[in-house]
Amino acid sequence: MNLWDQWKKGFGAWETATAAYLEQVLANPSVLGPAGAMLTAAMKTKAATDKATHSWWAAIGLPTRRDQERGLHKLNQLESRIADLEEQLAAARRPQ
Amino acid sequence: MSVEKKGLLATLTRLGSRLGKGLPDVGQTLHDVVWHENKWRLLRFRATRPAGERWRTPILLVPSLINRWYILDLRPGKSFIEYLVNAGHDVYCIDWGTPTAEDRYVTFDDVCQGYIGRAVRKVAAASPDGATHVLGYCLGGTLATIHTAANPTHVASLVALAAPIDFAHGGTLAQWTRSPGFDVGALVDGFGNVPWPLMQASFQMLKPTLNLVKLVALVDRAWDDEFLDGFLATERWGNDNVSFPGECYRRYIDELYRDNRLANGTMRLAGREARLDAIDCPVLAVTFTHDHIVPLASAAALLDGVSSPDKAQLELGGGHVGAVVSRKAAQGLWPQLSRWWVARDTDAARGLPGDDDEAAPDPAAPEPR
C-alpha cells in the first residue's frame, strides 16, 4: 500500500470517529441551550437597534426602510390579487 | 491516473488549473418562462419530441424554497429534467428566484397556496385532463404535499422526493429547532429573511467533517474529469442558496418542526384543512437510506397518512443530494420515476408509438404498498 492510500485510511478512521463525536456534541442540550440563547440575544439586540434607528428616522418625517418594504410587499400582493382575478375571469368566460 | 502515480504536487497543480477555468455551466436545458410573479417564475422545458409523441399529463417540479432549481438540471447529459424531456414528458419547474428585503412579509400561505397553487393551475390548464403530476424535492415536497392536501383538484399524482413529512422523526435539525434556546421570532424580527449563509452553516453542522471528506475526495479523484465536472457543478449549486422569507420561515418552524401539524392532522392552509388523508391521488414517496438531512422515517411517513389506494415507497441508497444527481440516479431513480408517471398517465396506452425504450410502462415499477 502506498503512502497516499495509507494516509487516506488513517483520515477515514479519524473522520468516522470525529464525525460521530461532533454529532453528539452538537445535539447535546448543554451546547444547544447556550448557542440558541446567544443567537437569540444577538437577534433581539439587532431588532432593538433597527427599531431605534427607524424611530429616529421616522421622527424627522422620512420613510423608513420598513415603510418601503411594506409598500413593495403591498404592490406584490396587489399583483397576485390581479392575477387571481384574471384567472377567475378566464374561468367565468370559459364555455361550460 | 491517480495521486500515487502522478504525485501530490502535480495533482494539486492540476486541481488549481482546473478550478482556475471557472465553474461549469448549469441549468442548460432550453426553457421558456411561462409565468412570473413577485420573484418566482414558472419554467417550461422545450420538448424534443412532436406533440403526438409526448405523454399526456405534464409534470410540475417543485424544488426546495431555499435551493436553486437547477439541481434538477445540473449539466447536459447529467440532468434529470433533460432526461424527462427526452423521454417524452412535458416538464415544468418552479424557479423560486431570490427574495429581497420586502419578502420578509411573504407568508407560508402566499408560497404554499398562492404561488404553488398558481403554478399547479397554470400547468394543469395546459393539460388535456386539467391535471398535472407534481414532484416536490425536499422542502418543495413538503410544500407540494400540504398544497395537495388542501387543494387536490388539479393534482394527477404526487411524488415526494426526500420530503420531510413527520417532523417527530426530523433528526438533528428538528432537535435544534425544538431547543428551548432557539427563538424563531427573534431570528425573523432581527434578520427579516433568514439569511442563506446561516441556513447553509446549519446544514454543514449536521456533518461537520463533510467538507474535509469532500476535499480529500477532490484530491483523490483530481485526474477524473467526469468526476470533477460533476463535483464542481454540485458545489456550485450547494453554495448558491436562497434566503428564506421571514414570515414563511416563522410558520414553517412553529407549525411543522415544533407542532408537527402535517403529521398529526391539524395543518391549515389559507383557512382550509390540509390533512394528509385528503390526498387520494397516486402517491410515491422516494426515500434515501443515508439521507442525513431528511431521515428516512420522516419522508416515508407520507404513506401512512394519505388515503390513496395507489401508493408506494421507493427506497434507494445514497444521500439527500447525491442520490438525485449522481450517475447511479441517472440509471436508477430517473427511469423509475419516468416509468411510474407513464404507468399512471391518463392515456398510457397511447404512449410513444413504436417506442419500446425506457419510457414504456415497466412491470418492475414500484409495487403499491
Side-chain angles (χ1 to χ4, degrees), chain A residues 10-67:
Chain A
F11 172 80
W14 170 85
E15 192 274 329
T16 306
T18 308
Y21 173 72
L22 287 177
E23 279 168 34
Q24 276 186 350
V25 169
L26 290 170
N28 191 321
S30 59
V31 173
L32 290 182
M38 278 169 61
L39 180 66
T40 299
M43 289 302 97
K44 283 185 173 167
T45 306
K46 183 177 184 302
T49 310
D50 287 349
K51 194 176 173 186
T53 312
H54 292 156
S55 300
W56 173 81
W57 195 250
I60 55 174
L62 294 170
T64 66
R65 184 180 162 154
R66 289 285 174 278
D67 293 333

Side-chain angles (χ1 to χ4, degrees), chain A residues 2 4 8 11 15 19 22-23 26-27 32 36-37 40 43 46 66 69-70 73 76 79-80 83-84 87, chain B residues 4 35 37-38 101-102 104-105 118 121 175-176 181 183 186 190-191 205 207-209 213 216 219-220:
Chain A
N2 64 48
W4 173 248
K8 266 198 310 180
F11 172 80
E15 192 274 329
L22 287 177
E23 279 168 34
L26 290 170
L32 290 182
T40 299
M43 289 302 97
K46 183 177 184 302
R66 289 285 174 278
E69 288 169 358
R70 281 192 204 98
H73 178 63
N76 289 334
E79 181 198 17
S80 295
D84 289 343
E87 276 190 53
Chain B
E4 60 267 24
W35 180 257
E37 181 178 343
N38 195 358
E102 75 271 16
R104 66 185 294 154
Y105 300 113
R118 180 105 55 220
R121 290 192 300 274
Q175 202 174 347
W176 288 350
D183 183 343
F191 274 131
M205 279 166 65
K207 287 270 179 193
T209 53
V213 173
V216 172
V219 174
D220 196 39

